[in-house]
Amino acid sequence: MSSSSRPLTRREFIGQASCAGVGSTALMSTLITLRLANSLAAQSTGTGGDYRALVCLFLAGGNDSFNMLVPTTSGEYEAYAKVRGNLAIAKETLLSITPGNLGGRTLGIHPSMTEVRDLFTTGRLAFVSNVGSLVRPTTLADVKAGRNLPLSLYSHADQIKQWQTCIPDQRTAIGWGGRAADIIRSLNGPSLVSMNISLSGQNVFLTGQQAFTYSVGSSGATALSGYSPTATNNLTATRSKGVQNLVDQSYRNLLEQTYADSTRDAIDSYYDFSAAVGTSTLTTPIPTGNSLANNLAMIARIIAANGRLGARRQIFFVQLGGWDHHDEVVENQLTMLRTVSQAVGFFNAALNETGYADRVTLFTASDFGRTLTSNGNGSDHAWGGNHLVMGGAVGGGKVYGDAAAGHYPDLQNLAAIDTGQGRLIPGVSVDEYARDLLTWFGVTAGDMDYVLPAFSSRFGGRPSLGLFSSPATAPTTPSTPTPPTTPSTPSTPSAPSTPSSGGGGGGGAASPLFLGALGALALARLRQKRQERLNAEQAAKPQT
């Protein structure tokens, strides 16, 4: 059959329908940043009011968060100023708040974060204090004896992974956002676009046993370089036809077939995503020169397009780097915390515009906190730190933390939690922080052991932080996947290294390694298919 008389393929149909909006300009390759969305369990469900999304804002490098949220009560500020020395923020410049649950204690937000202060005072934002990676509740005696400590404490790479996996005593590359998607994803309708979407490339947080990450940039998804199914340029048309012929063939070799399937699905995903999000626009002005706000704008547009993507649940990841301030921490935070505050304020306004403010929760994470003491002009790697949570469902205007310690550490009395140089033992584990977020998101108590494998045995006796006024009314979820034995790391991307500045995901420059990245995806899918075969063979064996 000639190409002129044969029926259009699905890919060609989508390409012709949306090409006018996409254009024929050769965009950068998606294949280094897009991983195939796993086949969904095809429950045809509408979105309606049940939609919910989590947005993880990762501050890579280790934010000095005790200058983001400062004690100002008489006696406590003096203790803060003494331990911080030349890193202390002047009391009169701080943005004063009186949290509703601290019994009259007052705090100050960094002077660059006016939008965050306004969201806090209007009940749209809360803080969670002294959070960090914990193997189990830990005392100073445990630290001195070397008991129950996270692997490679104070190491960027290990602490990033532990924040993103909630497994602090094993090295794994399966994230708690990915495990949540393993559980929740079949609530979404059929789609080539995964419910896990990154604006900062591949990461451990969104990687599941079955769920994959779909990576886009602040301008949207990016197409296979040099490919356009409706090209009129002879060279592009020839190249595109060659790509179509390659991916439409059947291959006897399983790796070759998986590679072709992955390429075809990545191309289709681009058109599906672009068609869904292309009509989603915002009128809320984006802060000028704010790359984080640009990324959050794309997330807001994707959220507004959730119905066209068939999504009732989505998880997003965006990273802003450059927080490893061993030097000039005070100067750097003036601009960087302003960037965060303006972006978060913008995101709240954009969600209000689209009508999703009550269905989306943004939360921060970071490698670790930093020393309270100065190293001369900066601070060094530490442990517990402060974080913010923003959304219409959040119980805002409060600071949540270890209730027995007054939620926010008393810097006048640190002897029991200071391991040296103002490195504070966390009062709240990452697991506890994640548990509140996941419960609101719709993960049931019965499925929590899969998503947070260590929680019930190590922190199960601790009450909820109470971050939300009410959790999700969760629809029936699929059966829980069998938790793996200690997951290995080679086939999954490692945690991102600490960049010097914030960056987007798939909108970057083309990489000559995109075929290698696709090959890694094909290998991952090949392993999955082989495991499925082994499972089927095992099930077929006669029982003894």
Side-chain angles (χ1 to χ4, degrees):
M1 180 181 292
S2 69
S3 60
S4 60
S5 60
R6 65 175 173 79
L8 288 174
T9 66
R10 176 176 178 276
R11 179 174 59 260
E12 291 170 331
F13 175 80
I14 294 172
Q16 291 183 15
S18 60
C19 193
V22 174
S24 60
T25 302
L27 302 176
M28 304 308 177
S29 171
T30 63
L31 301 182
I32 193 169
T33 56
L34 299 183
R35 292 185 69 182
L36 173 66
N38 201 33
S39 298
L40 300 178
Q43 294 184 10
S44 296
T45 52
T47 55
D50 184 50
Y51 176 82
R52 302 216 170 185
L54 288 172
V55 180
C56 176
L57 168 53
F58 201 91
L59 306 178
N63 179 29
D64 192 320
S65 56
F66 279 95
N67 269 10
M68 181 178 75
L69 189 64
V70 177
T72 56
T73 304
S74 179
E76 292 189 62
Y77 178 80
E78 288 71 21
Y80 157 84
K82 180 178 179 180
V83 71
R84 299 247 67 185
N86 65 334
L87 305 184
I89 306 296
K91 186 175 183 179
E92 62 274 13
T93 68
L94 294 165
L95 305 175
S96 181
I97 57 171
T98 303
N101 62 334
L102 295 193
R105 294 170 70 194
T106 59
L107 300 172
I109 296 173
H110 191 279
S112 293
M113 304 187 81
T114 54
E115 295 83 3
V116 165
R117 186 271 313 276
D118 293 344
L119 288 168
F120 183 91
T121 56
T122 56
R124 308 286 295 186
L125 182 144
F127 289 96
V128 185
S129 183
N130 198 22
V131 188
S133 178
L134 287 173
V135 173
R136 59 181 68 251
T138 302
T139 66
L140 190 59
D142 291 327
V143 174
K144 291 178 177 179
R147 293 189 299 262
N148 304 325
L149 298 181
L151 291 173
S152 300
L153 189 59
Y154 314 138
S155 153
H156 284 293
D158 287 283
Q159 296 304 298
I160 287 170
K161 277 193 176 182
Q162 289 167 30
W163 263 90
Q164 295 186 18
T165 65
C166 280
I167 300 179
D169 52 353
Q170 299 177 31
R171 288 189 170 92
T172 174
I174 304 299
W176 61 268
R179 290 192 297 269
D182 288 342
I183 293 291
I184 293 286
R185 67 198 179 113
S186 64
L187 295 175
N188 293 344
S191 175
L192 284 170
V193 179
S194 173
M195 66 172 279
N196 282 6
I197 298 177
S198 174
L199 274 288
S200 299
Q202 294 297 318
N203 57 85
V204 171
F205 174 67
L206 294 181
T207 302
Q209 290 291 337
Q210 300 164 7
F212 295 100
T213 302
Y214 188 89
S215 290
V216 301
S218 60
S219 299
T222 49
L224 178 62
S225 180
Y227 175 86
S228 175
T230 57
T232 56
N233 174 279
N234 288 337
L235 178 59
T236 302
T238 301
R239 183 188 295 116
S240 300
K241 185 175 180 180
V243 170
Q244 291 180 40
N245 288 338
L246 286 171
V247 301
D248 286 339
Q249 288 186 48
S250 294
Y251 296 89
R252 298 181 64 181
N253 182 281
L254 182 58
L255 177 59
E256 291 176 346
Q257 185 64 54
T258 302
Y259 192 95
D261 291 345
S262 298
T263 306
R264 179 178 60 249
D265 290 337
I267 293 170
D268 284 353
S269 297
Y270 166 77
Y271 289 111
D272 278 7
F273 179 89
S274 298
V277 178
T279 57
S280 175
T281 59
L282 296 172
T283 60
T284 303
I286 302 172
T288 303
N290 191 317
S291 62
L292 175 59
N294 285 326
N295 282 331
L296 291 177
M298 175 50 63
I299 292 176
R301 291 177 58 197
I302 297 169
I303 288 169
N306 72 85
R308 294 186 290 277
L309 291 170
R312 292 170 63 182
R313 293 291 188 274
Q314 289 178 301
I315 305 176
F316 297 90
F317 179 88
V318 59
Q319 178 169 291
L320 181 67
W323 297 89
D324 193 18
H325 296 141
H326 292 280
D327 193 26
E328 298 183 344
V329 61
V330 174
E331 296 82 358
N332 283 315
Q333 282 197 323
L334 281 171
T335 55
M336 295 185 69
L337 288 177
R338 181 180 296 116
T339 294
V340 171
S341 183
Q342 290 178 348
V344 170
F346 158 78
F347 190 52
N348 175 72
L351 293 175
N352 281 328
E353 177 189 335
T354 58
Y356 285 92
D358 293 340
R359 307 180 203 174
V360 179
T361 297
L362 176 146
F363 65 97
T364 61
S366 193
D367 316 20
F368 34 59
R370 303 191 78 85
T371 56
L372 293 177
T373 60
S374 172
N375 65 13
N377 201 30
S379 55
D380 296 323
H381 303 178
W383 202 347
N386 303 316
H387 293 276
L388 62 84
V389 184
M390 189 276 290
V394 173
K398 297 180 180 180
V399 174
Y400 299 88
D402 181 359
H407 295 288
Y408 184 93
D410 182 352
L411 301 194
Q412 300 172 98
N413 299 289
L414 294 178
I417 61 171
D418 186 355
T419 68
Q421 297 179 290
R423 291 185 170 102
L424 304 188
I425 300 171
V428 175
S429 68
V430 180
D431 296 67
E432 293 171 275
Y433 186 31
R435 185 263 308 266
D436 271 42
L437 294 164
L438 291 165
T439 300
W440 172 81
F441 189 60
V443 175
T444 65
D447 288 328
M448 201 64 76
D449 279 345
Y450 173 76
V451 183
L452 303 176
F455 179 78
S456 63
S457 62
R458 298 175 180 181
F459 305 99
R462 291 191 171 189
S464 165
L465 296 175
L467 271 174
F468 296 93
S469 53
S470 61
T473 302
T476 303
T477 56
S479 57
T480 304
T482 303
T485 55
T486 306
S488 57
T489 58
S491 63
T492 310
S494 61
S497 59
T498 305
S500 59
S501 61
S511 169
L513 301 176
F514 73 92
L515 290 179
L518 187 60
L521 169 58
L523 282 169
R525 294 186 64 200
L526 176 61
R527 291 189 182 98
Q528 183 178 353
K529 289 184 178 183
R530 285 177 173 169
Q531 187 61 50
E532 289 170 355
R533 288 181 180 178
L534 289 173
N535 292 343
E537 292 171 1
Q538 186 67 29
K541 288 182 179 179
Q543 301 295 318
T544 58

